[in-house]
Amino acid sequence: MTFFLENESVKVSVRQKGAELVSIYNKSTHLEYLWSGDPAYWAKHSPILFPIVGALKDNQYLYDGKSYTLSRHGFARDMDFELEQESEHSLTFLLKSNADTQAVYPFEFRLRIKYTLLENELSVQYQVSNHDSKEMLFSVGGHPAFRVPLTPETQYTDYYLEFNETEDFNRWPLAEGGLIDREPTPVAENTNRIALSHELFAQDALVFKHLKSTSVILKSDHTPYQLSFDFGEFPYLGIWAAPQAPFICIEPWCGIADSVDHDQQLATKEGITRLAAGEECKRTWSVTVS
């Protein structure tokens, strides 16, 4: 089932499975900004990453003396959420822990995804609640994919990412199995721009840690249409596209894949969030289409 948010400017579609965003259509520009999910390249649109982000070493982690198996990015993206609340401007989806989730992730939780549409801005809030009697360990993140090019008269290499701060962009390479390698490598220095090309992703995603920037604009000098993406509440950022694919993923993460040297203990995993019993954590990213 698909649910909708709509105002005078934008229409948004969200699928119940995975509470996945599947469309951002700007009614004034007559443009679709989200990737279509063409399985020839990549069949998803904007999956939710929970309770881990990225890959685990050997797809396993250790907690409280036991070994658990989780595939890359966790299970939330493949599960049916329930629509908990609907209003003129927002949709809230809920996923509750159950016997199936506890077999691979031994915590009682509530995961809410709240979509809020105001004018031409869509905000996406992840709300994680610990319903267990013990401390909860988790990661959460987004994986939205945006169409590139946005218009038929432009091409992929016309576009670039313009960050709101000048950076030394050092990526953390992904080694075999999607694990974070030992040392970063430079992408660009003393700039706020990364030019898009298919070759940019020849060695998988660009993974950045703790950038100064809090937002980025996907734009081209050959068209006025663009999108602005705010990720200020997330310490990690992934940039990715499938080989030769006409899209770009801008991925805000609270969490990151295991490093090649990780001991597989969930408690020592980089980027893990610790949430006390009864507590709640909220993180929001937003996209503005124009």
Side-chain angles (χ1 to χ4, degrees):
M1 185 177 294
T2 302
F3 298 88
F4 303 95
L5 285 173
E6 186 171 6
N7 58 26
E8 293 182 356
S9 302
V10 175
K11 183 176 182 179
V12 169
S13 306
V14 183
R15 185 179 295 158
Q16 186 170 6
K17 182 178 180 181
E20 185 178 9
L21 180 68
V22 295
S23 175
I24 306 174
Y25 181 75
N26 189 316
K27 294 155 70 172
S28 58
T29 64
H30 305 290
L31 289 178
E32 173 63 56
Y33 287 76
L34 206 67
W35 165 240
S36 67
D38 182 352
Y41 296 100
W42 188 57
K44 294 190 179 292
H45 308 263
S46 181
I48 292 158
L49 317 182
F50 177 87
I52 58 168
V53 170
L56 298 171
K57 185 184 286 189
D58 300 324
N59 290 323
Q60 294 183 326
Y61 69 91
L62 301 172
Y63 174 76
D64 198 23
K66 297 180 181 179
S67 177
Y68 298 87
T69 298
L70 271 180
S71 59
R72 185 177 302 198
H73 296 321
F75 50 70
R77 58 183 178 167
D78 297 316
M79 301 193 72
D80 284 331
F81 285 63
E82 62 180 88
L83 180 65
E84 183 183 43
Q85 190 170 4
E86 182 175 12
S87 71
E88 180 183 358
H89 301 295
S90 69
L91 297 168
T92 302
F93 295 86
L94 172 64
L95 178 66
K96 300 178 182 178
S97 53
N98 55 43
D100 290 336
T101 66
Q102 290 192 332
V104 295
Y105 180 67
F107 300 94
E108 293 186 21
F109 67 86
R110 301 289 185 271
L111 171 63
R112 290 177 171 86
I113 313 298
K114 184 177 183 180
Y115 295 95
T116 304
L117 181 63
L118 295 175
E119 297 182 349
N120 62 335
E121 178 187 76
L122 175 69
S123 69
V124 183
Q125 184 180 73
Y126 306 133
Q127 305 173 4
V128 182
S129 302
N130 183 357
H131 283 246
D132 215 314
S133 59
K134 60 181 181 290
E135 182 181 60
M136 178 178 167
L137 308 177
F138 72 95
S139 296
V140 67
H143 202 312
F146 302 101
R147 291 177 57 233
V148 181
L150 287 172
T151 61
E153 69 273 12
T154 55
Q155 57 187 349
Y156 199 86
T157 51
D158 290 334
Y159 289 79
Y160 55 91
L161 296 172
E162 183 178 272
F163 291 79
N164 68 318
E165 296 282 357
T166 298
E167 307 270 3
D168 289 331
F169 289 102
N170 294 306
R171 67 179 293 187
W172 289 83
L174 295 176
E176 185 177 354
L179 305 182
I180 300 295
D181 219 335
R182 294 177 177 85
E183 297 292 337
T185 60
V187 175
E189 295 181 356
N190 194 34
T191 183
N192 69 335
R193 288 191 180 189
I194 297 178
L196 295 192
S197 69
H198 294 301
E199 292 72 30
L200 189 63
F201 308 106
Q203 297 177 323
D204 211 321
L206 307 183
V207 176
F208 299 118
K209 300 182 181 183
H210 308 293
L211 294 175
K212 292 180 293 182
S213 296
T214 58
S215 65
V216 61
I217 301 173
L218 172 65
K219 62 195 301 187
S220 166
D221 295 332
H222 302 284
T223 178
Y225 305 121
Q226 62 184 36
L227 66 87
S228 178
F229 191 92
D230 190 307
F231 59 92
E233 296 185 5
F234 297 81
Y236 304 97
L237 187 71
I239 308 292
W240 176 78
Q244 304 301 311
F247 68 78
I248 181 80
C249 288
I250 305 174
E251 307 177 39
W253 299 337
C254 287
I256 197 168
D258 279 354
S259 69
V260 293
D261 297 325
H262 185 52
D263 61 8
Q264 297 182 282
Q265 295 286 344
L266 189 63
T268 61
K269 182 174 173 58
E270 182 181 357
I272 206 74
T273 299
R274 294 175 173 270
L275 194 62
E279 294 297 308
E280 182 178 66
C281 173
K282 296 181 179 180
R283 295 290 184 270
T284 302
W285 58 265
S286 64
V287 57
T288 303
V289 295
S290 56

